[in-house]
Amino acid sequence: LVKELTDRGYTVSWGLVEAADYGVPQLRQRSIIIGVRSKAPCFLPPPEYGGTGQPKYRTLRQALRPLKEIGPVQPLSERKRAVYARVPAGGNWRDLPESVQRETMGKAHLAAGGKSGWWRRLAWDSPAPTILGMPDHSSTALRHPEETRCLSVAECAAAQSFPVSVEFSGSARSQYQQIGNAVPPLLGYALGKQLDR
């Protein structure tokens, strides 16, 4: 893609950005390509959070603090609620007894990889993991740090850095999808400022 853009006369910069570097209270890496019709390249914006002399990454606690209403919440089955009741804040399937690990993970228990998203409960004082459109799936869990439930629509939106005033439409499932598929507004803003220079 970079070669094709270059062949078409664009000066191209590209790289991996971390949304948390721009004030998004979420760890969400994305590949970004910037092509401009100019000899002078437009580079990716420099990180604004998390580095030496910069503010610390924003946390889930900071993201959820302004919420007065949480909106729709994707329900969990009784089976999932029973498992999540045993997972501490910031923990995941590894915090379950071995017999429960095998039962809840099924064949995934033997699979390679970190599997850190499986049966995960979020931590208050860290950024959220990547907000996805299915907060109730066992492998992409977005469980509240204290309550045995998924993050709500409004909580997922806050972790994506949407202002509280933004409204989403459609079913709860559709709203989760809209939020999970979106570019975090603060990341979009940082890229926009960089393009405007």
Side-chain angles (χ1 to χ4, degrees):
L1 180 58
V2 170
K3 181 181 183 321
E4 186 173 328
L5 288 168
T6 303
D7 290 346
R8 292 176 185 245
Y10 289 89
T11 301
V12 180
S13 298
W14 61 278
L16 189 68
V17 296
E18 170 58 69
D21 288 345
Y22 307 99
V24 179
Q26 174 191 172
L27 297 172
R28 184 183 192 103
Q29 294 183 338
R30 291 296 179 262
S31 295
I32 303 292
I33 299 172
I34 300 174
V36 294
R37 290 262 190 194
S38 166
K39 294 293 181 197
C42 177
F43 296 106
L44 297 175
E48 300 170 8
Y49 287 75
T52 305
Q54 295 177 328
K56 292 181 180 180
Y57 282 162
R58 293 188 61 229
T59 67
L60 182 64
R61 184 186 309 275
Q62 291 169 312
L64 303 190
R65 190 173 291 139
L67 295 179
K68 296 197 178 10
E69 294 187 23
I70 64 170
V73 177
Q74 182 66 34
L76 293 172
S77 68
E78 285 304 315
R79 176 183 165 274
K80 285 185 177 182
R81 289 178 56 77
V83 173
Y84 281 115
R86 301 175 78 169
V87 177
N92 62 21
W93 66 277
R94 290 183 187 91
D95 295 295
L96 298 168
E98 181 71 26
S99 61
V100 178
Q101 287 180 19
R102 285 193 303 273
E103 180 185 334
T104 59
M105 295 290 286
K107 291 181 181 178
H109 187 260
L110 303 174
K115 303 175 284 213
S116 61
W118 282 84
W119 299 98
R120 170 180 53 205
R121 186 181 285 276
L122 305 183
W124 280 121
D125 296 317
S126 301
T130 299
I131 299 297
L132 302 170
M134 290 183 62
D136 56 328
H137 195 277
S138 301
S139 64
T140 58
L142 294 172
R143 297 305 165 271
H144 190 276
E146 294 172 7
E147 300 174 32
T148 306
R149 63 170 177 81
C150 298
L151 287 185
S152 71
V153 165
E155 290 167 332
C156 286
Q160 273 277 63
S161 76
F162 279 100
V164 174
S165 60
V166 173
E167 294 182 21
F168 300 89
S169 62
S171 67
R173 179 62 83 186
S174 175
Q175 291 179 50
Y176 277 114
Q177 286 290 330
Q178 293 167 46
I179 294 163
N181 291 341
V183 172
L186 288 179
L187 174 56
Y189 180 69
L191 291 166
K193 283 193 305 184
Q194 190 73 357
L195 291 169
D196 194 40
R197 290 184 178 180

